[in-house]
Amino acid sequence: NGGTDMYKVLLVEDEKMIRKGLAYNFDWIGCDCTIVGEAGNGEEGVEMIRSLNPDIVVTDVGMPIKNGIQMLEETMEAYGYEAIILSVYDEFHYAKAAMHLGVAEYLIKPLEYEQLKKALEKAKAQCRMKQHFSDAETKTREALERDAFDFKIVLPEQSYSPRTRVMVTYIRDNYQKKISINDLIEPLQTSATYLNQLFKKETGFPFNDFLNRYRIQMAIQKLKEDDCKIYNVAVECGFKEYKYFINVFKKYTGILPSAFVAYYQKKGDS
């Protein structure tokens, strides 16, 4: 539904009286819908689906030239709309064939508007869910195309004070273990508060943020390897909690580790 509030609906019904009645007697606007086209058979329906790209198709089953099921089979997967099927009672066995297509609702004529309203709510919810997944996929693809994973923490070490250099080295040498700034209080003979302030001032990151970024940087290198197991990489990079690793990875890269691995494997195959 491309981010607009109104859902585009296509009506496909060969009986003109029923089609016009449906188009003009039902409160489409009240259901956040707008009729973008009407077709009198499945052949016309296919043409209109291609040209109008509707969000929802409300279609009769038994129609001349091309029936509703054939029309759905031909276009539903390619155009990703939701379908609501209308049929007379004795066509039920026939319309069952449409169930494998994942239609939102199956309604028996004569149509009760209350039923159509409920069916539209269901179809709209499916549309929103698809949109949500499609947005997430787009973000993933954009992040991968930018190759946002080769982010590096720049370490202009020469400008660091001796204490900050010790802290950065400590992270590099021990990121695989459970560490914290408190480990450095004694060796550096000062408080955690002071160390945190100093570290942030000189590196631009709080200690824990820098540590997590460094861990994710290391994880990215390991995830590019052919036979990597995400769980093992998490542990090897100092994340004892797998779920926490996934959250941190997504926070810094914008996508899930599994999507990253899938992308790199595909890149390797192509």
Side-chain angles (χ1 to χ4, degrees), residues 62-266:
M63 293 183 291
I65 308 175
K66 185 170 280 181
N67 69 47
I69 308 293
Q70 290 167 322
M71 177 190 78
L72 296 181
E73 282 177 337
E74 231 173 272
T75 56
M76 207 170 167
E77 202 177 324
Y79 292 88
Y81 56 82
E82 291 301 313
I84 295 170
I85 289 183
L86 314 175
S87 98
V88 292
Y89 188 71
D90 60 5
E91 286 173 333
F92 185 67
H93 63 286
Y94 179 44
K96 257 183 156 170
M99 292 311 175
H100 75 280
L101 292 168
V103 296
E105 203 61 83
Y106 178 88
L107 304 175
I108 303 288
K109 293 179 185 174
L111 192 58
E112 287 177 25
Y113 286 164
E114 203 45 51
Q115 281 183 313
L116 179 57
K117 214 170 173 177
K118 280 184 188 158
L120 284 168
E121 285 309 315
K122 193 171 166 185
K124 279 155 47 184
Q126 295 282 90
C127 286
R128 286 192 296 273
M129 201 157 74
K130 275 186 186 160
Q131 189 59 45
H132 175 73
F133 280 117
S134 149
D135 290 347
E137 272 183 2
T138 304
K139 279 187 186 137
T140 297
R141 203 167 47 247
E142 283 169 358
L144 290 164
E145 280 163 7
R146 280 200 317 273
D147 215 0
F149 307 103
D150 286 330
F151 77 100
K152 295 272 185 290
I153 298 176
V154 183
L155 306 173
E157 294 183 38
Q158 64 283 4
S159 63
Y160 290 162
S161 64
R163 276 183 170 138
T164 300
R165 273 208 294 275
V166 167
M167 289 189 274
V168 168
T169 306
Y170 184 70
I171 285 173
R172 281 176 148 180
D173 294 347
N174 300 283
Y175 73 92
Q176 294 167 308
K177 305 172 196 159
K178 187 178 193 300
I179 61 171
S180 89
I181 202 158
N182 295 329
D183 306 342
L184 295 158
I185 295 170
E186 212 175 302
L188 294 176
Q189 297 291 292
T190 186
S191 73
T193 311
Y194 173 75
L195 288 178
N196 251 322
Q197 283 168 348
L198 177 70
F199 192 86
K200 185 163 189 218
K201 188 177 156 205
E202 294 194 16
T203 68
F205 302 105
F207 184 89
N208 281 342
D209 187 25
F210 188 101
L211 171 61
N212 275 340
R213 280 172 185 271
Y214 192 78
R215 282 171 166 164
I216 294 302
Q217 190 176 305
M218 293 298 114
I220 281 166
Q221 301 313 316
K222 291 175 190 290
L223 289 172
K224 287 180 180 177
E225 291 162 16
D226 282 349
D227 53 353
C228 73
K229 297 269 185 293
I230 297 173
Y231 178 79
N232 293 346
V233 168
V235 173
E236 282 167 25
C237 292
F239 294 96
K240 298 295 172 266
E241 296 266 330
Y242 182 58
K243 205 171 171 189
Y244 180 59
F245 168 67
I246 288 172
N247 290 341
V248 175
F249 192 94
K250 190 161 194 289
K251 178 184 164 186
Y252 291 123
T253 66
I255 74 160
L256 295 170
S258 52
F260 177 75
V261 171
Y263 171 76
Y264 261 88
Q265 281 170 350
K266 208 152 69 180

Side-chain angles (χ1 to χ4, degrees), residues 11 13 15-26 28 37-39 113:
L11 288 184
E13 163 66 72
E15 290 182 54
K16 195 173 178 183
M17 288 292 287
I18 295 179
R19 192 171 74 243
K20 292 295 175 193
L22 201 49
Y24 296 106
N25 296 333
F26 181 75
W28 295 98
E38 295 175 35
Y113 286 164

